[in-house]
Amino acid sequence: MPDGVEKKPSRIQQRNRRRILDAALDVFSKHGYRGATLDQIAEAAGLSKPNILYYFDGKEEIHLTLLNQLMETWLDPLVTLDPKGDPLEEILGYVQRKLDMARDLPRESRLFAGEILQGAPRMAPHLVADLQPLFDEKCSVIKAWMDQGALAAVDPRHLIFSIWATTQHYADFDAQVRVLLRDDPQGHESAGQYLRTMFTRLLTP
Amino acid sequence: MPDGVEKKPSRIQQRNRRRILDAALDVFSKHGYRGATLDQIAEAAGLSKPNILYYFDGKEEIHLTLLNQLMETWLDPLVTLDPKGDPLEEILGYVQRKLDMARDLPRESRLFAGEILQGAPRMAPHLVADLQPLFDEKCSVIKAWMDQGALAAVDPRHLIFSIWATTQHYADFDAQVRVLLRDDPQGHESAGQYLRTMFTRLLTP
DNA sequence: GGCAATTTTTACCATTTGGTAAAGACACGA
DNA sequence: TCGTGTCTTTACCAAATGGTAAAAATTGCC
């Protein structure tokens, strides 16, 4: 067998690794890295603690695996931003995709937020290697749209920040939003409408 | 001596309690509640661990004291929003004050963010008792401005959320912002300019 | 200076937590 | 069905951590 090629994992391996990662996402996103314990993860996964350590080398490796998997999902909506599409529609579509992610993947959003909040100790390399180039590229795309007059001119970097901030806010600050909206079931739709209005008024030339 | 009236703390008490709270703010905002240890706080404060427990009943009480103190500071910029002032100027002033706070009090911002991110386990009562009434009141003020045509109509609740999200983002996601702006020393000013433009275009009738 | 009250240190303790060793149970191809 | 490799459990351990008791030092008031 060639070097570096691992034999494919058994069905049990796949199932249990998936279980563990799902349980860990739950626990890490709720309590943060330090706040999460292997016992909690084990219980949530329905496995014993030593059994978990049979599948992963340790707590840190589980966390790191989650972060690595997350990066791809996280960047995807921005990757999709199409330089050849209609500028305003592209931006609004991006906002919508991010908002949908905040609703559908709140655990992932909070895992990410917690990591950045603490200074990105485990993710800094990813930010530089993956996020930064993509960010720069899409800033250029937006800049070009503005230069050709298809969008009103603003700083593209801060535009992207404001899209991230406003959409992720609904996942990351959910506890606060719930209190203030009194669990309004229309919350998500009204947020979508507001953000569409906001970025339309900002960017319409 | 009347009941419930504690004698005023000595100078040593004042100084050491202040030291401890400052150190704790540092540590809690960096590592979160569970991630912070009394030993770290003690070292940062220049006191021994048992000495710290002479001034506070325990880790939780320190954290709670910080949160209580923070609430006032945190709400202040919104309290200042004046129903009798010029609507657009009032909103822009509020944005500016929040952005200044993100720059000047990043530890406080991250302490708050961490607490909310984990579901506000220790702060939920404060949110309901202090934040909610203020939020509702100021939403009404903004709504009135919009009804009288002084501001373009949008959902006041989401407007406030977007102000919080965009301004606090610069403190809470500082690690990410730094990477992407490559430590641009003009970062804060350009953020201020961007946000002023954004909310002006959104709200100008 | 003397003395009570306050403050600080020393020496601990119990629990929690990430992790390990090794024996036992189980799956599966020959 | 037998045996080998995969998976799981039991029984631990060392370090970290929140917290305590009590002696020692210090402060401030007469």
Side-chain angles (χ1 to χ4, degrees), chain A residues 1-7:
Chain A
M1 205 190 300
D3 251 25
V5 174
E6 320 222 336
K7 62 173 67 171

Side-chain angles (χ1 to χ4, degrees), chain B residues 66-141:
Chain B
L66 280 175
L67 252 28
N68 290 345
Q69 287 190 0
L70 177 53
M71 207 61 203
E72 211 179 325
T73 314
W74 218 235
L75 297 185
D76 186 63
L78 186 53
V79 170
T80 310
L81 194 92
D82 182 4
K84 295 196 282 289
D86 175 72
L88 186 57
E89 282 311 310
E90 285 297 321
I91 299 283
L92 294 180
Y94 179 49
V95 171
Q96 186 64 52
R97 288 194 295 279
K98 287 291 290 179
L99 188 60
D100 289 343
M101 274 181 66
R103 180 192 48 190
D104 298 333
L105 306 173
R107 299 180 305 171
E108 284 82 351
S109 187
R110 286 195 278 264
L111 180 74
F112 186 87
E115 170 69 9
I116 303 293
L117 194 61
Q118 316 222 322
R122 279 166 257 277
M123 201 137 79
H126 271 305
L127 294 184
V128 175
D130 302 336
L131 179 57
Q132 200 184 73
L134 180 65
F135 178 79
D136 291 343
E137 179 203 326
K138 297 307 181 179
C139 277
S140 297
V141 170

